[in-house]
Amino acid sequence: MAACPNCGKKLHIYNWKQNCPHCGVNLVYYKSNEHLLAESEKTEIEHARFQPGVDRAKASTIGSFPAIMRIVLSVLPLGALMLPLAGLKGDVSESINAVGIYKYVSASGFGNIIGEALKGNTVCISVVCLLLSAVLILVAGLFLMKSLGKHGKTINLVFDSVKFLLATASAVLFTVSDIQKCLPGYQFTSGKPKFGIFIYIGLFLALLIYSRVLAAKGLVIKHSICLIGGIPSDEYFKMVEDGVSELEIRREMVRRLTEMQNKVREEAALAQAREEAERANRK
């Protein structure tokens, strides 16, 4: 059985009207303003806590020219994969880039490539290392948005270092491979890295150095101002932390919101006065 939220007396099933039969308060709209204010305050608090993460993500990616340059350096290695990465010699000579590697993996099957790599086939290990470095370009790009968050610098350092080491390992393993033994189904007798793989590795090294310099200097974060009931979020959270009563906080909200409203009215009045003065001058 329900009770009136105002007087606390019991409400029976036949008390179907929206007003309490005992005190007359409107049961539907009882303290509706307080509830709306609480919901609005809750929404503004959630936004104030979420916004710093958005500000950090923006500063990490498109917030400044140095951050944009890091993105450019991050994706440039994908373009280098289109350059000649390796040369094979035998009855015929062939230059291999990412397209050629894709055809080789498709024809052999990725599972077979992994199996041969586990057996010690250095060419297959080289291909796996190259593919992993390419995949990490995309994965690391997603983590750039969190580079200014907790452990962000460490995560970026790990990704950049692993990409560089995988690309270097791929080139070294291919160089020392016995091509005839590792590629028995192909009429190639020797192979060597070409300039594309060195550009690929060099871009990773440049990104690694640039990211370390950027991490040391830091990126400027433009913090958005979030208001909670007219009070800047940092002031609001400080008041809550200091144990200021809810009543005092609400009074401060009313004062701030009144000041903002008065300012808007003053600006509107000034704008209207300027318009009237301009109309009078035209006459």
Side-chain angles (χ1 to χ4, degrees):
M1 188 176 293
C4 175
N6 184 49
C7 64
K9 293 185 178 181
K10 293 181 179 180
L11 299 173
H12 300 279
I13 191 170
Y14 52 79
N15 297 133
W16 54 270
K17 293 183 179 180
Q18 67 179 19
N19 294 94
C20 176
H22 306 290
C23 63
V25 72
N26 190 308
L27 299 172
V28 177
Y29 297 106
Y30 179 72
K31 289 189 176 181
S32 58
N33 290 336
E34 287 84 350
H35 293 318
L36 289 172
L37 180 60
E39 287 297 322
S40 175
E41 184 177 336
K42 181 181 178 181
T43 302
E44 290 176 337
I45 290 173
E46 291 176 354
H47 175 261
R49 288 174 173 166
F50 178 74
Q51 187 61 41
V54 176
D55 294 336
R56 288 192 296 270
K58 183 177 179 181
S60 300
T61 52
I62 59 173
S64 62
F65 179 76
I68 295 174
M69 280 300 300
R70 180 169 61 181
I71 294 178
V72 173
L73 278 175
S74 297
V75 299
L76 274 178
L78 290 175
L81 290 174
M82 297 297 106
L83 300 173
L85 302 174
L88 295 170
K89 292 183 179 181
D91 295 339
V92 293
S93 296
E94 185 176 350
S95 292
I96 304 296
N97 61 5
V99 177
I101 293 173
Y102 172 77
K103 291 179 179 179
Y104 170 66
V105 173
S106 299
S108 302
F110 186 71
N112 292 330
I113 298 291
I114 295 294
E116 288 296 319
L118 294 175
K119 292 177 182 178
N121 187 317
T122 51
V123 169
C124 290
I125 298 174
S126 174
V127 170
V128 171
C129 289
L130 188 67
L131 292 177
L132 286 175
S133 68
V135 170
L136 285 181
I137 294 174
L138 304 177
V139 177
L142 297 176
F143 278 88
L144 277 181
M145 293 186 293
K146 297 185 177 182
S147 63
L148 293 178
K150 187 177 181 181
H151 307 306
K153 294 180 180 179
T154 302
I155 292 172
N156 282 344
L157 174 61
V158 170
F159 273 124
D160 293 343
S161 301
V162 171
K163 286 185 290 185
F164 172 72
L165 291 174
L166 284 172
T168 304
S170 178
V172 172
L173 288 168
F174 183 82
T175 302
V176 300
S177 295
D178 184 339
I179 300 300
Q180 285 182 315
K181 182 180 178 181
C182 294
L183 298 175
Y186 297 85
Q187 295 180 344
F188 297 115
T189 57
S190 63
K192 64 177 181 179
K194 302 198 77 170
F195 67 93
I197 191 64
F198 298 113
I199 294 176
Y200 186 65
I201 296 171
L203 288 172
F204 280 143
L205 180 59
L207 174 62
L208 179 60
I209 295 172
Y210 183 78
S211 295
R212 294 315 99 210
V213 172
L214 208 59
K217 290 186 175 180
L219 290 169
V220 178
I221 304 175
K222 295 180 180 178
H223 294 284
S224 302
I225 298 175
C226 298
L227 299 178
I228 302 175
I231 304 175
S233 58
D234 54 346
E235 292 184 28
Y236 174 86
F237 293 132
K238 184 67 167 56
M239 293 173 71
V240 173
E241 184 180 347
D242 292 342
V244 180
S245 67
E246 183 178 348
L247 180 60
E248 289 297 323
I249 293 176
R250 292 289 169 83
R251 286 176 178 173
E252 182 64 18
M253 286 181 176
V254 172
R255 187 184 71 82
R256 299 285 185 102
L257 291 172
T258 302
E259 288 180 355
M260 293 169 63
Q261 188 177 34
N262 291 338
K263 185 177 180 180
V264 170
R265 288 175 177 174
E266 290 175 2
E267 292 176 352
L270 289 173
Q272 185 178 359
R274 284 194 297 268
E275 290 179 2
E276 292 176 354
E278 290 176 356
R279 284 197 297 266
N281 290 333
R282 293 194 205 101
K283 295 179 179 179

